[in-house]
Amino acid sequence: MGAQLRVYKRRIRSVTATKKITKAMEMIAASRIVKAQRQVAASTPYATELTRAVTAVATGSTTKHPLTTEADAPARAAILLITSDRGLAGGYSSNAIKAAERLTERLRGEGKEVVTYVIGRKGVAYYGFRERKIADSWTGFTDSPTYADAKRAAAPLIEAVTQETAEGGVDELHIVFTEFVSMMTQNPVDNRMLPLSLDMTKNEEGQGEILPLFDFEPSAEDVLDALLPRYVESRIYNALLQAAASEHAARRRAMKSATDNAGELVKSLSRLANAARQAEITQEISEIVGGASALADATAGSDK
């Protein structure tokens, strides 16, 4: 019985140590969410206004450009998938991967070849384990992205969009990331960045917005060429910030659940340990009483 009690005590110490670690990770994730939320709030208006400006310029121009022109028969589409570098975040990365897989199946059903770009070690590991080709990947910054990271990821995508499909270019550019809604809600979404969709010209009430007329200097094509990288970079940067906030929120929720489960397990093991200890004490008392009774009987027999 003593061996069983030692096993329970050893497990209680192990679970208690794990509980301290998960509690610390929960607190770290909670502290990082605040910063990530501020960055999302600061970048979203810029990305929205830049999209509005690009849409306004594109609407006022008849120039064929990758920003605005739909291919007659789109043959290739690029998908940028944003996952996390680290685990312990519940289903955060797996949900984003599932959304990318659904988008991939839909695009292939439309007869398009899909080229995949991945941000985050979890996504890279997923495609690597299945021996599926990735055009390019980036890791090491998903929990705290900077604009330089977004610019680095945007460069090959912009190059692919501006090339002809016969030379390895793409006709469409999609991005899959986890949108931060609240501390409890994060939704994986897929958005088409290029070409610009008509619904981007609608305001928050869903009504069509009257856009101003523009005169272009030196030309509409030059203006669109200058706006293209800024537009793609800002959209990717905002998606990275939203994904980072979602990752921290998911990790906080997962670590809180792990901490609570560890606490319940410690209580359960403590009850088992107490029961084992009580059983051990009862057995010892029984042995003492039995020994005393046997000794008394032996003494009484010798007196006769």
Side-chain angles (χ1 to χ4, degrees), residues 56-64 68 216 220-221 224:
V57 173
T59 304
S61 167
T62 58
T63 303
K64 289 188 176 181
T68 59
F216 301 102
E221 185 175 1
L224 291 173

Side-chain angles (χ1 to χ4, degrees), residues 5 8-9 12 268-278:
L5 182 59
Y8 287 138
K9 288 183 176 180
I12 288 173
S268 176
L269 290 172
S270 297
R271 286 193 293 267
L272 293 173
N274 290 336
R277 184 169 177 270
Q278 290 171 359

Side-chain angles (χ1 to χ4, degrees), residues 51-286:
T51 301
R52 180 180 178 277
V54 171
T55 304
V57 173
T59 304
S61 167
T62 58
T63 303
K64 289 188 176 181
H65 194 272
L67 265 172
T68 59
T69 305
E70 293 273 1
D72 295 332
R76 302 184 84 221
I79 296 177
L80 175 62
L81 169 62
I82 300 178
T83 62
S84 66
D85 285 321
R86 298 185 295 125
L88 302 177
Y92 166 76
S93 292
S94 62
N95 290 336
I97 292 172
K98 289 177 183 177
E101 291 290 89
R102 289 193 295 268
L103 176 60
T104 299
E105 291 300 320
R106 177 167 62 82
L107 294 175
R108 286 176 177 169
E110 296 172 359
K112 301 171 185 174
E113 179 186 354
V114 177
V115 183
T116 305
Y117 297 80
V118 180
I119 294 177
R121 291 190 179 93
K122 290 298 180 180
V124 173
Y126 174 85
Y127 285 93
F129 179 77
R130 288 158 179 77
E131 297 182 351
R132 294 167 60 178
K133 185 178 179 181
I134 298 176
D136 207 343
S137 63
W138 304 267
T139 59
F141 56 82
T142 59
D143 59 344
S144 183
T146 64
Y147 194 85
D149 298 322
K151 191 172 183 179
R152 185 155 51 93
L157 296 172
I158 295 171
E159 182 180 358
V161 168
T162 54
Q163 286 181 341
E164 296 292 335
T165 54
E167 300 174 357
V170 297
D171 300 310
E172 296 178 1
L173 176 56
H174 300 258
I175 184 169
V176 179
F177 65 99
T178 305
E179 182 182 29
F180 181 84
V181 180
S182 66
M183 294 288 287
M184 298 302 297
T185 306
Q186 301 87 41
N187 298 324
V189 296
D190 61 89
N191 293 333
R192 192 180 79 171
M193 287 196 292
L194 295 174
L196 282 169
S197 301
L198 293 177
D199 57 3
M200 291 183 180
T201 63
K202 296 182 179 180
N203 55 27
E204 295 180 354
E205 289 74 21
Q207 299 175 352
E209 184 177 2
I210 299 176
L211 299 174
L213 298 176
F214 289 89
D215 289 329
F216 301 102
E217 181 67 32
S219 67
E221 185 175 1
D222 291 335
V223 173
L224 291 173
D225 285 339
L227 287 175
L228 174 61
R230 304 291 180 270
Y231 166 74
V232 175
E233 291 166 6
S234 68
R235 292 290 299 274
I236 293 177
Y237 182 52
N238 183 257
L240 284 172
L241 293 178
Q242 297 244 17
S246 299
E247 178 183 348
H248 294 315
R251 182 168 290 112
R252 174 189 170 275
R253 189 166 61 251
M255 291 300 98
K256 185 180 186 306
S257 178
T259 302
D260 295 342
N261 291 338
E264 292 297 324
L265 184 56
V266 168
K267 291 180 182 179
S268 176
L269 290 172
S270 297
R271 286 193 293 267
L272 293 173
N274 290 336
R277 184 169 177 270
Q278 290 171 359
E280 184 177 353
I281 293 172
T282 301
Q283 182 177 353
E284 289 177 355
I285 292 174
S286 299

